[in-house]
Amino acid sequence: MGQRPLRSAAGGNLPSELSRFIGRGGELAELGRLLECSRLVTVTGVGGVGKSRLVLAAARSAAEGAQERYCDGVWLAELAAVRDPALLELALAEALELTDHTTRPPRTVLAEHLSGRRLLLVLDGYEQLVDECADLVRELLRRCPGLHVLAAGRRPLAVEGELALPLAPPVPEEALALLTARARAVDPAFALTEDNRAALVELCARLDGIPLALELAAGRLRVLSPAQVLARLEDRFALLTGGARGGPARHRALRTAIGWSHELCTPAERLLWARLSVFAGPFDLDAVEYVCAGPDLPVEEVLDLVGELLAQSLLVREETPAGVRFRMLETVRAYGAGWLESLGDAGRLRRRHRDWYVGLATWCELDWFSPRQHEVAALVEAELANLRLALECCLDEPDEAHLGQYLAGTLWFYWAGCGRLTEGRHWLERTLEPVDRAAGEYESSRLKALWVLGYVAALQGDAAASMSALYECRDGAAQSGNPVAAAYAVHRMGCLALVSDDMSRARELLGTALEQYRAAGELNSNVLMCQVELGMALAFLGDLPGALALCGEVREICEERGERWTKAYALYVLAYAALDAGRTREARLLLTECVAINHVFHDLVGLVLALELLALVTVAEGDPAEAAVLQGAAEPMWDGVGLQLFGSGYFNAPRLMCREQAGELLGAERYAACEAEGRELSREALVGRALRDPEERGGGAGGVPRQTGRPRGSRVPRGAAAEQPQP
């Protein structure tokens, strides 16, 4: 949303309120009563009537006053931009800040995550997926007894036990207060006076008090008097009441409000409005200028036109981590989309939109290997809805499947580096569905999608799917004479061997891939990651000098290039070697930097590995209680990392060793208590705790005094010794 989340003590992701919520006291009280009576409450009503504002106000009240009932927080999932039913579960998981790297169905992940929690889930804008949303809500409520759902939509979900609150427009007094407040926000000099009161009351009545209509009218009061606004509306009222015959008057009133705003726009503003409807979610000015400009809409005029639409409340301006973005309210966007279709220009604009976002992804991939890596991650996150729409556009045209393969493959850094494995696999598999084995001018796009799919599946622990994609990529690269694609295929085969505990094969494949990369002149984050993974294999096989040489070189290159994501994995290997040599202070410094980087990029694989090695370092520092807390906090993350990684004797050796040593020092009961304390930590709290200097902690966690001296057997196990069974 581009707004700073409002964090209650119980947690959640509710956006902060940018404008004062006016009126609706009775509806708020009734909504609170319904939430006491049912686990599913739905606010229904026409578009623009204020459903979203009401449920958010109720959710904020719940977050502040019902922390015991919703002790795991109040969470908002905005679904208006989700069109593909396959992305519904992913959208909910994203809203819940739930990252999963396994091959489990997202619905299963959601149910398991929610099954033991007590929280309120707010769903907004589900109309386009009402059947799928109803089915998902029904199953989650059945499987998760502590879950409550508050939904806002134009129709009920029709799920058993649902209580619906039909929302009518506000009463005249509240409508007048809303119009006055919004007009004052646009023009601070505006005031309700005896001279304009009658016109404003009449304007509210003509617009049926619908909040969206009032918001649009308030935008016009910046330049027109209330009497002028009313006169213009009166002139066009008969023309613009084009709702369905016999339909509710409120529908016709809303259409009047939007159509009236459309009529008041200049021809250029109307044209831009229609063309902006091709965007999904937030967009920036550069995208608008590329997609919407043309001979009939000069690019040099676009900025001023955007400003006019913004002034008329037809666009919303948002501050995001990726910079300023603009967004259309869904009802306004839908109206513009209808006009674009009537102009016969929708197909061309969708293709221009697709081309812009294919180009954006290309630039982001190149800029990933630079000091702007974090900004690139934030940019792709902000543009995700539009990138999804571009992928859908590629899939809609069979002759352009190669563009979809290219786009899905180009976003490898986002899928693998920013905790989006499940969604990445979804798009990669969909774009690869058209089966065309003949090598041609677009074969390189297919090969790229294949090795990225193999990479993603390997990180998910799905060895069969990974090998299938990688063998197909390797064979296709050989047939088409593509040495770069061949190197990527061999590299990811080595990555799969690494997470599968076949270290000898990993060393062989990763070494071969590194040679092939160098022969082809390839240097980027993937190549450096190959070198780090080879360093991991050497470390696990006992060749720490070789691992140090490889990862030390990667660290230097990363610092020179400003690359941070791969650097974090190099730091992990360097910390592993430092701990083995007894240099715990050095290991801690390396790992805290590693944790901070992985947290920024939402890389759950790297984060959990670093945290568990840090827990072992903490034992070596003489604080087994704090180590147990870190262990307890990190352990649930493994549920989302992947079954193969969870079963790895090499990667899990620090976890098992920490459990053994800390448990021996604390005793079983005290160790379990500290672990339980860690499991209650949010990810933010966990990372903050992990980054603290040991001297800041004082006594151990849970009131346990710190130990002195070095624990027995603090060397990191490797080789056959690492392959111990799980307890």
Side-chain angles (χ1 to χ4, degrees):
M1 292 184 59
Q3 300 173 5
R4 184 165 53 86
L6 175 69
R7 299 285 181 178
S8 71
N13 67 337
L14 296 182
S16 57
E17 198 167 24
L18 298 182
S19 56
R20 185 168 62 90
F21 185 70
I22 297 172
R24 299 292 198 187
E27 291 91 338
L28 269 176
E30 176 65 7
L31 196 50
R33 187 189 69 80
L34 294 177
L35 284 169
E36 293 287 334
C37 301
S38 174
R39 293 174 56 212
L40 172 60
V41 177
T42 306
V43 177
T44 62
V46 65
V49 79
K51 302 182 295 295
S52 298
R53 292 296 300 268
L54 180 65
V55 298
L56 281 175
R60 291 187 184 97
S61 177
E64 294 168 359
Q67 291 177 6
E68 182 176 351
R69 187 179 189 190
Y70 308 124
C71 58
D72 291 304
V74 180
W75 300 84
L76 169 65
E78 294 181 295
L79 304 176
V82 181
R83 295 289 184 270
D84 185 347
L87 297 179
L88 177 61
E89 287 97 343
L90 294 176
L92 261 64
E94 178 183 348
L96 291 165
E97 299 179 1
L98 176 61
T99 305
D100 184 72
H101 290 243
T102 72
T103 58
R104 295 176 298 172
R107 182 170 298 204
T108 300
V109 175
L110 280 170
E112 290 180 3
H113 175 75
L114 295 171
S115 61
R117 289 173 166 82
R118 289 185 292 167
L119 58 80
L120 178 63
L121 177 61
V122 182
L123 304 179
D124 189 20
Y126 58 78
E127 291 86 358
Q128 71 285 1
L129 297 172
V130 63
D131 293 334
E132 294 84 358
C133 193
D135 180 68
L136 177 59
V137 168
R138 183 183 296 110
E139 181 173 346
L140 291 178
L141 288 173
R142 179 176 58 82
R143 297 176 60 181
C144 310
L147 173 66
H148 290 71
V149 177
L150 174 60
R154 298 186 188 183
R155 53 183 291 188
L157 287 168
V159 173
E160 183 179 358
E162 177 185 31
L163 293 181
L165 175 65
L167 187 62
V171 297
E173 294 81 6
E174 289 185 353
L176 180 60
L178 176 62
L179 177 60
T180 303
R182 298 299 182 253
R184 191 176 294 119
V186 174
D187 179 7
F190 182 86
L192 175 64
T193 67
E194 288 303 317
D195 291 334
N196 64 21
R197 184 182 184 89
L200 290 172
V201 169
E202 177 66 12
L203 184 57
C204 290
R206 293 282 183 161
L207 297 176
D208 244 346
I210 294 176
L212 174 60
L214 299 177
E215 298 266 0
L216 294 170
R220 284 298 176 186
L221 289 172
R222 186 172 70 95
V223 293
L224 300 174
S225 71
Q228 288 175 313
V229 171
L230 189 59
R232 286 172 178 260
L233 179 62
E234 182 69 24
D235 290 342
R236 291 162 175 80
F237 194 82
L239 174 65
L240 297 174
T241 51
R245 181 170 301 184
R250 290 191 303 273
H251 289 209
R252 297 196 297 274
L254 178 62
R255 182 174 178 82
T256 297
I258 299 176
W260 157 67
S261 283
H262 190 267
E263 286 294 308
L264 290 177
C265 288
T266 66
E269 290 167 1
R270 294 178 203 163
L271 184 58
L272 181 59
W273 179 351
R275 291 180 177 178
L276 287 174
S277 70
V278 300
F279 290 96
F283 47 86
D284 68 4
L285 183 61
D286 289 339
V288 175
E289 290 176 335
Y290 177 86
V291 174
C292 301
D296 48 357
L297 195 65
V299 68
E300 58 270 17
E301 296 180 11
V302 168
L303 175 59
D304 289 338
L305 292 171
V306 166
E308 286 301 314
L309 295 180
L310 190 64
Q312 297 170 52
S313 300
L314 295 167
L315 281 180
V316 177
R317 182 184 184 275
E318 298 179 337
E319 292 282 351
T320 76
V324 173
R325 290 289 184 278
F326 303 98
R327 177 175 54 84
M328 269 189 167
L329 298 175
E330 181 60 23
T331 309
V332 175
R333 190 207 64 79
Y335 192 93
W339 275 87
L340 189 63
E341 290 288 348
S342 70
L343 293 172
D345 206 20
R348 183 184 71 86
L349 265 293
R350 291 190 188 108
R351 288 189 293 274
R352 285 188 67 81
H353 174 277
R354 175 207 63 201
D355 292 345
W356 171 262
Y357 285 100
V358 169
L360 180 72
T362 301
W363 175 83
C364 285
E365 182 188 30
L366 292 172
D367 223 25
W368 180 257
F369 189 48
S370 79
R372 279 180 40 82
Q373 202 169 50
H374 183 207
E375 288 83 351
V376 168
L379 176 58
V380 176
E381 185 75 20
E383 298 287 7
L384 185 56
N386 283 300
L387 288 164
R388 287 169 174 165
L389 191 62
L391 283 160
E392 287 287 358
C393 183
C394 297
L395 291 167
D396 288 342
E397 300 291 338
D399 293 340
E400 296 180 345
H402 64 280
L403 282 176
Q405 293 166 358
Y406 173 82
L407 180 53
T410 296
L411 290 170
W412 67 266
F413 61 91
Y414 187 63
W415 312 137
C418 301
R420 293 280 186 171
L421 293 177
T422 303
E423 179 165 356
R425 184 164 178 179
H426 166 79
W427 290 115
L428 290 159
E429 289 179 339
R430 283 193 63 189
T431 60
L432 286 165
E433 281 174 5
V435 179
D436 182 5
R437 297 289 183 265
E441 61 177 314
Y442 304 127
E443 177 69 359
S444 61
S445 295
R446 190 179 73 88
L447 295 177
K448 185 170 189 176
L450 282 168
W451 73 252
V452 176
L453 175 59
Y455 181 24
V456 166
L459 292 179
Q460 288 185 310
D462 190 345
S466 178
M467 288 305 295
S468 176
L470 294 173
Y471 275 126
E472 185 177 345
C473 178
R474 185 194 64 181
D475 294 344
Q479 292 173 9
S480 60
N482 190 327
V484 174
Y488 279 102
V490 174
H491 172 189
R492 295 312 170 188
M493 288 178 185
C495 175
L496 179 60
L498 182 71
V499 299
S500 303
D501 277 358
D502 190 349
M503 294 302 153
S504 296
R505 179 165 172 77
R507 175 175 57 187
E508 176 187 351
L509 290 171
L510 292 168
T512 300
L514 204 54
E515 292 174 0
Q516 292 175 335
Y517 281 140
R518 288 168 178 166
E522 193 85 348
L523 179 61
N524 54 35
S525 296
N526 275 302
V527 176
L528 294 180
M529 186 63 80
C530 180
Q531 189 164 329
V532 171
E533 289 163 350
L534 178 57
M536 287 181 179
L538 294 180
F540 291 146
L541 289 171
D543 183 6
L544 288 177
L548 284 170
L550 286 171
C551 293
E553 182 182 24
V554 170
R555 183 184 186 182
E556 290 177 4
I557 296 173
C558 287
E559 290 175 349
E560 177 185 335
R561 298 290 187 121
E563 212 279 1
R564 300 177 65 204
W565 175 64
T566 307
K567 178 186 176 182
Y569 284 88
L571 295 175
Y572 171 83
V573 180
L574 295 173
Y576 183 98
L579 178 60
D580 184 81
R583 301 192 301 273
T584 55
R585 180 63 179 172
E586 179 185 345
R588 169 169 289 278
L589 292 174
L590 292 165
L591 286 170
T592 52
E593 185 179 358
C594 181
V595 166
I597 294 171
N598 285 319
H599 182 57
V600 164
F601 289 111
H602 307 291
D603 186 343
L604 192 60
V605 176
L607 181 60
V608 69
L609 289 174
L611 284 169
E612 292 198 333
L613 190 57
L614 184 61
L616 185 57
V617 169
T618 306
V619 174
E621 291 172 335
D623 196 348
E626 182 68 14
V629 171
L630 293 177
Q631 277 282 84
E635 192 158 335
M637 292 187 194
W638 282 107
D639 291 339
V641 169
L643 298 179
Q644 279 287 74
L645 281 179
F646 190 78
S648 166
Y650 289 95
F651 283 104
N652 282 285
R655 176 176 64 91
L656 299 176
M657 189 172 183
C658 178
R659 175 183 293 176
E660 176 188 351
Q661 292 186 2
E664 181 180 330
L665 290 167
L666 295 171
E669 183 177 348
R670 195 167 283 176
Y671 178 86
C674 292
E675 243 192 355
E677 179 186 341
R679 281 193 291 271
E680 295 300 315
L681 292 175
S682 68
R683 194 172 301 168
E684 290 284 347
L686 167 61
V687 170
R689 190 158 182 160
L691 298 181
R692 283 190 305 178
D693 189 275
E695 298 305 319
E696 298 175 12
R697 292 200 300 266
V704 180
R706 294 186 62 176
Q707 311 293 317
T708 58
R710 179 172 173 175
R712 173 180 57 82
S714 62
R715 290 175 62 85
V716 181
R718 52 185 183 270
E723 301 180 50
Q724 49 188 301
Q726 297 179 47

